[in-house]
Amino acid sequence: MRSSKPVTVTLGEMQERVDARVRSGAYASVSEVVRAGLRALEREEAAIETVLHRKVQEALDDAALTLPADQVFTELRAHHAARVKASKDGA
């Protein structure tokens, strides 16, 4: 019994690249190419998550980088106001 269900995917411009991989013999089917792509995406996301966690931990561990909350919010409000003004000026 099949544990997954068939899915229709429109690949657009990527279709030729998928077909080339199957024609080359590197993959037996389009499904194998798609599964390999999803596994690669999962590895990429895990790597990004690892880097982000490390960067956050480094920031938390670095006492020199702490800013008072009121300063952070003042800077955020100024940044937001500048973006709003820029979007209105450009509209």
Side-chain angles (χ1 to χ4, degrees):
M1 180 193 243
R2 182 180 252 181
S3 64
S4 61
K5 64 178 183 170
V7 176
T8 301
V9 178
T10 303
L11 297 173
E13 296 174 5
M14 298 178 108
Q15 183 69 52
E16 178 54 36
R17 289 183 281 184
V18 169
D19 292 341
R21 283 173 169 81
V22 174
R23 280 193 308 270
S24 76
Y27 297 90
S29 68
V30 171
S31 292
E32 280 189 11
V33 176
V34 171
R35 285 191 295 271
L38 287 172
R39 285 190 295 274
L41 177 62
E42 288 175 348
R43 285 191 305 272
E44 179 181 304
E45 289 174 343
I48 290 169
E49 186 173 331
T50 298
V51 169
L52 290 176
H53 280 271
R54 183 174 43 88
K55 294 281 188 186
V56 167
Q57 192 59 54
E58 286 173 5
L60 292 172
D61 293 343
D62 188 352
L65 295 178
T66 60
L67 295 173
D70 59 338
Q71 180 182 348
V72 172
F73 284 106
T74 298
E75 291 176 16
L76 283 172
R77 285 185 192 98
H79 177 74
H80 178 68
R83 289 191 57 161
V84 169
K85 182 180 182 319
S87 70
K88 287 181 181 176
D89 290 346

